[in-house]
Amino acid sequence: MLPLLEQTAESLNYGEVPETWRVPDIDRFSAEKTLYDYQAEALRNAARALYLYYGKAHDWRADEAVAVNDERKRSFKAIYADAGLPSIKKYETKADKNNGRQNPVFRILSRYIRHLELSRGDEISYYNLINRMCFWMATGSGKTLVMVKLIEYLHALIKHGEIPPHRMLLLAPSEHLLGQIKRAVAEFNDAGLYIDLIPLREAHRSRQARLGEVATVYYHRSDNIADVQREALTDYREYENDGRWYVLLDEAHKGGKENSKRQAYYAVMAREGFLFNFSATFTDAEDIATTVKKYNLENFIRKGHGKNIYLNEQEYAAFNNSSEEISHADRRRIVLKSLLSLAAVSQQVKALRRAAGRDDLYHAPLMLTLVNSVNTDMDKNDLWAFFQTLRELATGEIDHDFFNEAKTELMEDWRQASLLFQQANARMDDAGLAEMNIASLRAAVFLSGRAGALQFVRSGDDKELALQLKNAAAPFALIRIGNTSKWRNTLLAGYEETAALREKSFFAELEQSPITLLMGSRSFFESWDSNRPNVINFINIGGFDAKKFVVQSVGRGVRIEPLPGQRRRLSSLQSDNARAIRAAVSQGGLEEALPETLFLFATNRRAVKAVLEGLEAEKPKGFETLDGFALAARPMIGGVAMPLLVPRYKDLEQAADRHPFALAEKTLERFKTWLGQTSDSIFAVRDGLAAGQITELRAAAMGEGALTITPNKNYALLAFLQQRLIAHLARPVKVSDGVRKMDAEKDIVHFQHIRVHSDYVRELQAKINQVKAGWTSNENIVELAEKMDKGEVTRTEFNAKTVGKDQDAFKDLTIKKILNHYYLPVVLGNEKANYIQHIIKVHSEVKFLNRLEAWLENHQPDWDSWMFSKLDEALDQVHIPYYDIKENEYRRFLPDFVFWMCKGNKYRIVFVDPKGDAHADSYHKIDGYKKLFLEDGNPRRFQHERYEVSVKLLYYKPDAKPPEEYKAYWITDPAAIFADNGSETQSLVR
């Protein structure tokens, strides 16, 4: 099953979503935090989906009948109907086949579902529960921040009258997770809107109202929602509120078995509202189909936000296919390989820091050794092999031949390294391994190069023990389990205990600790986040839920932060700082692959199988993201790369030139009568309006510039009109605030999201890599491009002198390098190519590009330097705000292309849209552009460093026939894009 809701949401242009439906200040979280692009995209997708449900299917009205919501659900189910979701019968059986008893889930739901629509008498139609969306987000991806921002968004929609004013309920399965959410809310509350978290059991009590803008959110332990009322359990029936809840459920996969009553409780409480599920692990078909954002482990890593995962597939496959259990010697060899890997990463981090001259580069590497249970029976526990290898290394008893054999095998493994979720194999630098001996490994892992006896150190926390070499200054390992007393008496019997009892917890200070090895059971995994893990050993991992645990534990290990505040692999960062560090590292003959990799090892067949199956479940199905797209080299101006600038906007709360609200004359007369019959006190008590809002409302109706008469713009419900007008008067107005340098991480990102059906990904990826190699392999590519800009080299000569293919083809796609395009290669297709997403395939866009390339074959733009880029209206952020009179909403216009060009100190940004038909929508967009970028009919000039910048908008459609006042905005020839003050660009005879 594919994430159908995500596909539907992303097909909707976010710029065309009405202003009141967009997420407010989407990137901001707090004074210290901004959202990453994938977090913001999850919120955009949620906004799109909610707009489709409450805005498009049946636009919500305050006085609508309950039956309208049933119709809304029926309309929404069309998203899934053609994909087989009706055949998914999670809530199907009226009677249990084994004992004849009624299925408890069916029993619970059938009490509340108005229209059971039973099929064969034993099913509940899935449309009754279609008001839901899932956020499938990897562990460590920051889904808590998305959850808090979603609360802010729901509050804004309620305030603007777009969705019903239902209560919000936040559920999480542990006090730790609730505490994590509370801390995030406290941080968010410093930034504006106050989220007031109230225990669910206080929902019936009156509370003192807070001043200012407040979003009230109730919370509870999801595992304590039940059908009885006890001290620890809460009866959902006491709080179900006729199903009028917006339920936000964290760790939604828990309790997700076939007959989970708790899942039914949540569905009942949200049946007239909406259910938002958050998890790093979804396996049920309904959850996958209703996923609005899939940023699981695979996506998290592929997009550069997590470490790569090293998997020795040959060795794992051999173990997996073998009927024999792994031998004791092989277990010890695997443990030794894992320790060698940790030591190699530690040495590489030190070398990288020296080369870059930065002590804050990367993290201190750490190994996790995870056990299924804390069984201390040595005969039944693979931990003994682990401890035996540790002891032999510590004391110097390890066999040198055994050590060298393991090292040689690991070096060969690395030469054939396979990185899970990556299309291309990585080159692992094994120079550190080749030179490593027992002493250097001991120094890196045990914090002492000299052999010595092991001893353990206790702290004030009974859950932990630390291991230390007697001749070392600090512990190197930490055991974190439920209780350590049995371990001290069994596995650690005979080990010396240090006299000192440490009062502070080792685990609490692990981020700043010299400890290199952490051992524990699965119990601590939901209470810990760290960048440090580079190696994970799975010991005795197996059983029913092992696959989910593997994904969760690996998710805890993939977080990365090569530079403070930069949570992407250094190889994926586009900042100038990151580029400089990569250059220094490369000059030193080093690579950043090791600290950016998580190495996985397992010591028995069950563990191996769990790792393979758990990670296999995370591999892409359906559509896969294509790699290999990279930013092109920017033209150089005086030894400095040409800056790429985009418009900057700001909000004005009090704006004299606010666009008037469109209203039909008859509706206005009815509205005036409505206002005249309603006193200020009724407005205040019934609608909660402040005195200033009431004054503004009455002034607007009296025609003080806030309204414009527009035929056929009627509102049947005056209460709804009142809500919309109040929102309009309070909405800030976007004004131009100059220009800024483009943010490579946010503004144009669609080429990082190009996805193709998995049937074609390997072949297409190979062709993309080949074209990319042809573009980048010639060291003089920038110099050649500059000569071509000056007319010293023709395009034909340029293509001949660059190494590799100029372009390639796949099915009905063309993969090519287009000179001066922002990223490369560029993929062109046609509108029938439904197996690939986010490429250039609209006919008008492809036709425009072909015409542009043909013109550039014989002409040279009269500018010193220039570049251009495709813009994707669903994913990119470069836009022009405008007011849509039809909808009385502010919208964002994303033209299809943006051009940057400069000559001397003059700089121009040109937006070009080849789809621009001559009709009212285009005129509204032009009006928005003129309001922002023209003054008295002339271009506004913005100063940026040494450049004087202007912004231009053009439509390219040769057969368009716009009115006279808009004719200047339509062009018929690409030459007009580069025209300077009306002059033609130079025609070069080649």
Side-chain angles (χ1 to χ4, degrees), residues 71-107:
E71 292 303 316
R72 189 174 286 119
K73 290 181 179 181
R74 287 190 181 95
S75 299
F76 204 57
K77 75 173 184 179
I79 295 172
Y80 312 101
D82 295 335
L85 193 60
S87 65
I88 299 169
K89 304 166 186 173
K90 183 174 181 179
Y91 307 106
E92 62 172 330
T93 54
K94 191 173 183 178
D96 190 295
K97 295 177 182 177
N98 295 324
N99 55 29
R101 296 176 184 172
Q102 192 178 58
N103 181 307
V105 174
F106 183 95
R107 184 177 67 248

Side-chain angles (χ1 to χ4, degrees), residues 5 178 694:
L5 187 55
L178 283 174
I694 300 170

Side-chain angles (χ1 to χ4, degrees), residues 523-647:
S523 61
F524 74 85
F525 255 79
E526 289 182 354
S527 60
W528 183 62
D529 290 301
S530 175
N531 304 316
R532 293 191 59 190
N534 273 105
V535 182
I536 298 182
N537 262 323
F538 291 100
I539 295 181
N540 258 357
I541 301 299
F544 180 79
D545 58 349
K547 288 187 287 186
K548 288 185 177 180
F549 172 66
V550 165
V551 174
Q552 290 172 326
S553 55
V554 170
R556 292 289 176 191
V558 298
R559 280 181 45 165
I560 193 164
E561 193 172 2
L563 294 168
Q566 302 293 307
R567 291 190 175 182
R568 284 188 95 164
R569 296 195 297 272
L570 184 65
S571 53
S572 299
L573 292 174
Q574 302 296 340
S575 66
D576 292 341
N577 196 15
R579 291 170 187 261
I581 291 175
R582 286 200 296 269
V585 165
S586 178
Q587 192 172 6
L590 300 170
E591 293 184 346
E592 62 268 20
L594 289 186
E596 295 191 348
T597 302
L598 178 65
F599 297 83
L600 303 184
F601 296 90
T603 58
N604 64 18
R605 288 190 66 243
R606 287 195 310 159
V608 167
K609 187 174 181 180
V611 170
L612 286 171
E613 290 180 350
L615 295 179
E616 183 67 29
E618 290 291 302
K619 285 187 176 181
K621 295 176 179 63
F623 280 81
E624 298 186 37
T625 303
L626 287 168
D627 298 326
F629 299 92
L631 299 184
R634 282 179 279 165
M636 304 300 289
I637 305 173
V640 179
M642 173 188 176
L644 301 182
L645 307 178
V646 294

Side-chain angles (χ1 to χ4, degrees), residues 854-869:
W855 184 84
L856 288 169
E857 285 284 352
N858 302 302
H859 300 81
Q860 178 65 36
D862 189 20
W863 294 83
D864 296 340
S865 299
W866 69 278
M867 286 195 84
F868 80 111
S869 181

Side-chain angles (χ1 to χ4, degrees), residues 1-6 80 85 88 90-91 129 132-136 249 252-257 263 275-279 281-294 548:
M1 181 60 68
L2 299 175
L4 303 173
L5 187 55
E6 179 184 45
Y80 312 101
L85 193 60
I88 299 169
K90 183 174 181 179
Y91 307 106
L129 306 167
R132 64 203 298 273
M133 66 177 69
C134 296
F135 296 81
W136 188 350
L249 178 62
H253 63 278
K254 294 200 168 186
K257 305 295 188 293
Q263 294 287 339
L275 177 61
F276 303 91
N277 292 322
F278 292 80
S279 179
T281 313
F282 284 120
T283 55
D284 291 347
E286 304 95 317
D287 293 331
I288 297 171
T290 57
T291 289
V292 76
K293 182 60 181 178
K294 184 180 179 183
K548 288 185 177 180

Side-chain angles (χ1 to χ4, degrees), residues 84 186 379 657 776 909:
D379 294 330
D657 58 348
T776 58
I909 303 168

Side-chain angles (χ1 to χ4, degrees), residues 894-967:
L894 275 84
D896 292 316
F897 295 92
V898 58
F899 287 73
W900 302 278
M901 52 195 77
C902 58
K903 180 166 56 176
N905 293 336
K906 181 164 56 179
Y907 191 109
R908 183 176 294 168
I909 303 168
V910 183
F911 291 104
V912 180
D913 195 302
K915 295 196 298 286
D917 289 320
H919 53 56
D921 284 348
S922 297
Y923 308 149
H924 296 330
K925 293 170 182 176
I926 293 172
D927 291 339
Y929 157 78
K930 290 163 65 176
K931 187 175 180 180
L932 292 164
F933 300 111
L934 298 187
E935 192 168 1
D936 297 328
N938 297 312
R940 294 181 63 189
R941 308 290 179 181
F942 305 101
Q943 198 67 34
H944 181 84
E945 296 176 352
R946 70 183 182 91
Y947 295 106
E948 188 180 75
V949 186
S950 62
V951 180
K952 195 172 183 177
L953 171 63
L954 297 171
Y955 286 103
Y956 175 81
K957 193 170 180 67
D959 58 349
K961 296 180 180 179
E964 190 66 33
E965 62 179 306
Y966 293 106
K967 274 188 177 180

